[in-house]
């Protein structure tokens, strides 16, 4: 394989010693370079040995080709992948990072690629984030002298983000109010000249009165504030601070690196912090209230979204109380003692004999084997789950189990209950920056031990008062220590600049092809209907660009009687005309905006322009958005044909079947480079592709993938020829426009010392070794990470994982959402299998297989998935089973593993055969990488229900509706009867199959037609009939649809329907032309396991 031009001459392909586990060598994987945007690297893929064969299931010897689970042992040195175009000498950091399974260590998302920075160095700072006069370069995590003035004290306080929890109660949180001057960060060295006068800013949260009187011996009374004009007061305090307040600056008087990495706080590499001066007096009254959602942020979900009303946890009125015995020093250890393991998970299951192993209800995540006192605080598995709920003590034990270790996250999910802490104090470990959580230990009232790095930290004085119970001296009962999921209102120290307004830019393809599809009518009307529901505030800005072979801007200046169109025909050197009038305030210019949306669909109806300059249009959009950041929404209907980023067709329909030659890699790096530029300026790009022809989504998708955007694909969209797609676009666009959004976000995942994260999956850019840059974050995005056991977890009963998402809400509030999960550590192989989460394992393997398909070949990825099953079941057979049994035996916890992997092999992302269009395959791969696990599993293994005899037995009651709960059926035609009607829910599509002899009652009372022959061929809606059967069926289908962010079309099909083949293709357990049946697949697995 030729090396890309960016590689150093003579550079060897990187490897980690003998390549035992190629699956998931994905050199290309996410292609994240930790270098700052601007220096884009081309990675050098490792050479992959050619395969002997690549067919449907050519597994003879395939275990040596791409085994998923042969791990490199601990203690071997990791050679980092080379990253080109880094200004400075590459840094190689040898260390005992074992190559895990799924160690896609070639993926530059792996921790600390060669282009990243050693612990003592700092990453270069992007100029637009630099607020000090001179460039700063200090050790990461050094304490800042970023002053946040505390009214009522004679000093300034250092930010809690960098020095642990130091801000007293009631400290002002400075943020620019609308129209106020921009917030300046002041970095001061002790003894230097006084800082410039900073204009006082309106505090976001003025000091709150105490909740009742704190008991005697509580915090002292507040002192009187210094009199005088506010600006003078602030200057006095700032200047006073220079006299050497113990908490104002780092010990060496240095300033801190001004970057998101420093703001959120480093991982375990962060230096230890010197504790604050012991004699500091607390001069503020300590009183907090904990409303569930502060005023102006009551939009955990769009108005009217079912099941997502923001039912507030109103702490002040005592409606939610917390009961927890104090977690003493030995509480965790004592709680772990004498637990009886649920042996059901280990019961051997002979898969060839027990055919009915699919549960009749949706499979739930396994419950970690923790004492109930700990487990009751654990994170909801819908938000945060691990592939193994029993963590192996050593990498050797993990290698032996042949199972992947990783996490699956849904961090910004819409929640009906979310505790929000509005106090200014955020308590964090001084060493590893972990947020205080339910799994820390309190040694006494004054000290707590971090559950990730085990450092003992002081409990800040003001944290001793619990506003919920109004008791002083019970820090372990505060909400932060009672909730595994919590959100903090972040003070100004967590900002690099004042919160920007929400900015939404829409970019429309208006070429002849685009106008022909009629999409513009639907999109403009949906936008008109939802303008008032766009998340934001009085500062929200909006703009529009259209393009064909030229680029059209729209001036929406106040005072114009109608929008003014500005055409740029020079697409080789795009510039922005009148930049101040192209993005305008939504509220102040609403009439002009509405006029434009009403006229846009008609403006280009006579256009004969067939060319598409998507690349230049995106460059223009990026230039327009750079100053503020925000969201670009682009609609495209064909292959870009002129200007930068022009593409040529690479699909040959006759060769779709050959897994070797399909083009899964981008044909240009233009879109990736532009996406990284966007990420650096806090801009995300969402792509709506509405196309009947090949549009090279493999290349176009990069614009969203690396800028933390989303991809939507509507194959063969046409308002007349394919009307069901119109409803789908309407529904999904409404959700997209009105759902919650976070701006300027970063996410970091921390784990207990001894564990390490090495590969990330999802849509983002890895800014430093473990900091994910998310210019936008949305509630429908999922992420996955792979992990390894770097050091033995001896003497540890439990380990913890914590994700922290720092973002700006659409209301301009800086917030931090934290999820913490605690899992037990085990020492035996049987316990590792006992805690296996088969759905999470399947989800992680699917992510890894996408990377493998791109970096190697599709057949490699397929072989590797099969080998994952073979290896784990062979390890179980040889190491756990005491009595060798005939047949194919799996532990009960993994009984569905072969079925789920077979389902993955039959999914559009990985299936072979000519029926899958290339763009469709790529889109499914995008979904695998970006969807939360629950939706990914539904796409992979659909749910089948018999619905012609629904009853209220076991039904759910949701908002006064009765929702029937029919049992799940196996995905085989054996389960279908011509006398019945069956609903298949495949996530993004639903099929209602009506048998030829289906009861007359169902046909007339649910479908509203007299007999089977009268059912229309292209029926996609159930009529609203007032019969009990109709009400039950529609309630069930509506309830299924409500559970997800996308809109599944319902196709009602008969035996002779052309869509019957799509329905039967989802029958995972049956044989198809290009894939084995479930039973044949089990026989193949058995043959390999028994070798």
């Amino acid at each position: 394989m030729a090396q890309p031009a960016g590689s150093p001459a003579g550079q060897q392909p990187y490897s980690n010693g003998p390549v035992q586990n190629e699956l998931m060598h994905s050199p290309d994987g996410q292609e994240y370079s930790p270098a700052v945007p601007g220096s884009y690297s081309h990675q050098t893929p490792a050479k992959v040995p050619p395969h002997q064969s690549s067919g449907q299931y050519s597994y003879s010897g395939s275990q040596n080709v791409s085994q998923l689970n042969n791990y490199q042992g601990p203690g071997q040195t990791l050679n980092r992948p080379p990253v080109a175009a880094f200004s400075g000498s590459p840094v190689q950091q040898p260390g005992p990072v074992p190559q895990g399974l799924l160690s896609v260590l070639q993926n530059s998302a792996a921790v600390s690629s060669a282009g990243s920075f050693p612990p003592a160095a700092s990453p270069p700072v992007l100029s637009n984030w630099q607020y000090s006069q001179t460039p700063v370069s200090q050790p990461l995590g050094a304490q800042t002298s970023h002053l946040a003035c505390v009214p009522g004290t004679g000093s300034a306080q250092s930010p809690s983000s960098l020095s642990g929890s130091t801000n007293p109660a009631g400290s002002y949180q400075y943020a620019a109010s609308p129209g106020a001057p921009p917030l300046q960060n002041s970095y001061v060295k002790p003894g230097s000249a006084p800082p410039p006068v900073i204009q006082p800013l309106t505090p976001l949260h003025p000091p709150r009165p105490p909740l009742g009187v704190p008991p005697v011996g509580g915090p002292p009374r507040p002192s009187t504030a210094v009199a005088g004009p506010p600006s003078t007061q602030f200057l006095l305090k700032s200047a006073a601070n220079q006299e050497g307040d113990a908490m104002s600056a780092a010990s060496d008087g240095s300033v801190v690196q001004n970057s998101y990495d420093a703001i959120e706080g480093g991982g375990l590499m962060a230096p230890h912090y010197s504790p604050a001066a012991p004699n500091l007096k607390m001069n503020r009254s300590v009183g907090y209230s904990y409303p569930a959602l502060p005023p102006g942020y009551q939009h955990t979900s769009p108005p009217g979204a079912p099941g997502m009303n923001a039912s507030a946890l109103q702490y002040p009125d005592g409606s939610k109380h917390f009961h927890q015995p104090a977690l003493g020093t030995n509480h965790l250890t004592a709680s772990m003692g004498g637990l009886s393991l649920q042996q059901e998970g280990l019961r051997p299951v002979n898969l060839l004999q027990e055919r009915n192993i699919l549960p009749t209800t949706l499979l739930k995540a396994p419950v970690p084997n923790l004492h109930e006192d700990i487990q009751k605080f654990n994170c909801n598995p819908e938000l945060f789950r691990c592939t193994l709920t029993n963590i192996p003590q050593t990498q050797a034990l993990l290698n032996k189990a042949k199972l992947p270790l990783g996490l699956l996250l849904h961090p910004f999910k819409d929640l009906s209950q979310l505790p929000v802490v509005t106090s200014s104090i955020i308590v964090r470990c001084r060493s590893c920056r972990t947020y205080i959580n339910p799994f820390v230990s309190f040694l006494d009232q004054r000290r707590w031990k971090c559950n990730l790095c085990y450092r003992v930290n002081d409990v800040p004085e003001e944290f001793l008062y619990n506003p919920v119970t109004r008791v002083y001296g019970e820090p372990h009962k505060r909400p932060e220590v009672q909730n595994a999921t919590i959100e903090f209102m972040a003070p100004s120290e967590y900002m690099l600049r004042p919160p920007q307004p929400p900015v939404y830019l829409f970019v429309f393809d208006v070429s002849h092809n685009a106008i022909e599809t009629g999409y513009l009518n639907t999109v403009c009307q949906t936008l008109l209907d939802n303008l008032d529901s766009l998340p934001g505030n009085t500062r929200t800005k909006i703009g529009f660009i259209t393009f064909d072979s030229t680029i059209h801007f729209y001036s929406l200046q106040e005072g114009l009687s109608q929008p003014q169109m500005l055409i740029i025909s020079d697409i080789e050197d795009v510039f922005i005309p009148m930049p101040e009038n192209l993005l305008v305030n939504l509220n102040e210019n609403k009439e002009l905006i509405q006029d434009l949306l009403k006229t846009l669909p008609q403006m280009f109806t006579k256009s004969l322009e067939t060319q598409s300059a998507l690349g230049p249009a995106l460059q223009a959009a990026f230039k327009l958005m750079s100053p503020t950041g925000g969201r670009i929404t682009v609609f495209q209907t064909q292959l870009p044909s002129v200007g930068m980023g022009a593409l040529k067709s690479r699909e040959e329909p006759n060769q779709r079947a050959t897994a070797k030659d399909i083009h899964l890699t981008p044909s240009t790096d233009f879109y990736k480079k532009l996406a990284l530029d966007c990420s650096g300026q806090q801009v995300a790009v969402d792509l709506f592709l509405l196309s009947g022809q090949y549009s090279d989504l493999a290349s176009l998708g990069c614009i969203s993938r690396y800028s933390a955007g989303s991809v939507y694909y509507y194959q063969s969209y046409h308002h007349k020829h394919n009307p069901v797609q119109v409803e789908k676009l309407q529904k999904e666009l409404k959700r997209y426009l009105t759902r919650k959004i976070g701006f300027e976000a970063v996410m970091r995942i921390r784990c207990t010392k001894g564990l390490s994260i090495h590969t990330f999956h999802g849509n983002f850019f890895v800014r430093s070794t473990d900091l994910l840059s998310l210019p936008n974050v949305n509630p429908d995005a999922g992420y996955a990470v792979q992990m390894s056991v770097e050091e033995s977890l001896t003497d540890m009963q439990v380990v913890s994982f914590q994700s922290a998402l720092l973002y700006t809400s659409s209301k301009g509030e800086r917030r931090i959402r934290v999820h913490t999960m605690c899992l037990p550590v085990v020492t035996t192989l049987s316990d590792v299998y006992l805690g296996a989460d088969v759905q999470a394992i399947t989800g992680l393997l699917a992510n890894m297989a996408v990377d493998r398909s791109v970096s190697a070949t599709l057949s490699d990825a397929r072989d590797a998935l099969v080998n994952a099953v073979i290896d784990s079941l062979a390890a179980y057979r040889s190491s756990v089973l005491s009595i060798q049994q005939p047949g194919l035996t799996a532990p009960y916890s993994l009984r569905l593993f072969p079925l789920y992997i077979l389902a993955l092999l039959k999914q559009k992302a990985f299936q072979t055969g000519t029926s899958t269009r290339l763009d469709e395959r790529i889109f499914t791969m995008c979904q695998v990488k970006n969807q939360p696990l629950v939706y990914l599993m539904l796409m992979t293994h659909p749910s089948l229900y018999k619905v012609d005899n629904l009853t209220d037995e076991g039904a759910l009651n949701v908002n006064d509706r009765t929702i029937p709960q029919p049992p799940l059926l196996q995905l085989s035609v054996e389960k279908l009867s011509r006398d019945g009607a069956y609903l298949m829910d495949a996530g993004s599509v639903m099929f209602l199959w009506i048998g030829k002899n289906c009861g007359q009652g169902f046909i007339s009372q649910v479908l509203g037609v007299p007999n089977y022959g009268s059912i229309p061929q292209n029926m996609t809606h159930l009529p609203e009939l007032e019969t009990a059967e109709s009400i039950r069926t529609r309630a069930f289908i509506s309830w299924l649809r409500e559970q997800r962010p996308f809109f599944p079309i319902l196709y009602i099909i008969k035996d002779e329907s052309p869509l019957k083949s799509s329905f039967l293709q989802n029958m995972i357990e049956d044989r198809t032309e290009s894939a084995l049946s479930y039973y044949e697949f089990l026989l193949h697995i058995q043959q390999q396991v028994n070798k």
Side-chain angles (χ1 to χ4, degrees), residues 139-205:
L140 270 183
Q143 208 165 348
T144 185
S145 55
H146 174 144
L147 305 180
C149 173
V150 182
T153 69
S155 63
Q157 301 288 339
S158 66
S160 55
S161 64
L162 294 169
S163 62
S165 42
T166 55
N167 283 9
S171 61
Y172 280 19
Q173 300 172 18
Y174 287 102
S177 53
L183 178 67
Q184 296 294 325
N185 296 356
S186 81
Y187 294 98
V188 185
K189 292 187 180 183
S192 61
V197 176
I198 298 177
Q199 292 298 321
L201 299 170
T202 313
L204 283 180
H205 300 283

Side-chain angles (χ1 to χ4, degrees), residues 846-909:
N847 274 281
M848 294 163 53
V850 169
D851 282 359
R852 185 59 192 272
S853 302
V854 173
S855 63
T857 65
L858 189 61
S859 58
D860 273 8
R862 290 171 56 83
D863 289 350
L865 285 170
V866 177
N867 286 330
V869 180
I870 294 167
D871 291 348
S872 56
L873 295 190
Y876 172 75
R877 175 186 169 90
S878 61
S879 305
V880 178
L881 277 185
S882 48
I883 304 164
Q884 296 301 322
Q885 301 174 353
L888 178 62
T889 311
Y892 186 77
S893 59
L894 291 178
R895 68 196 184 285
L896 298 174
F897 194 24
L899 178 62
Y900 285 159
I901 293 298
L902 178 65
L904 267 184
L905 295 171
K906 294 187 177 188
Q907 203 209 36
K908 280 179 182 162

Side-chain angles (χ1 to χ4, degrees), residues 948-972:
D948 55 302
N949 54 356
L950 293 176
T951 66
D952 290 345
E953 191 181 334
L956 292 178
N957 282 306
V958 180
N959 300 334
D960 299 329
R961 290 182 305 159
T962 303
I963 313 294
Q965 296 294 298
L968 283 170
L969 302 175
Q970 286 173 257
L971 292 171
S972 169

Side-chain angles (χ1 to χ4, degrees), residues 956-1015:
L956 292 178
N957 282 306
V958 180
N959 300 334
D960 299 329
R961 290 182 305 159
T962 303
I963 313 294
Q965 296 294 298
L968 283 170
L969 302 175
Q970 286 173 257
L971 292 171
S972 169
V973 289
E974 287 178 12
K975 299 297 174 186
L976 300 181
S977 153
R978 290 188 183 279
D979 302 337
Y982 297 84
L983 179 73
M984 177 183 284
D985 178 6
S988 53
V989 64
M990 290 181 177
F991 299 100
L992 178 57
W993 182 78
I994 312 295
K996 251 186 181 154
N997 304 328
C998 182
Q1000 192 61 39
F1002 181 84
I1003 291 174
S1004 59
Q1005 294 180 18
V1006 174
L1007 304 180
V1009 294
N1011 53 48
Y1012 181 82
S1014 311
I1015 300 172

Side-chain angles (χ1 to χ4, degrees), residues 711-729:
V711 175
Y712 294 80
Y713 177 52
Y714 301 87
Q715 188 179 324
S716 308
Y717 183 92
H718 196 281
H719 68 297
K720 285 183 181 164
H721 304 156
N722 200 353
V724 290
Q725 293 274 22
V726 176
E727 184 187 12
K728 184 175 174 65
L729 175 61

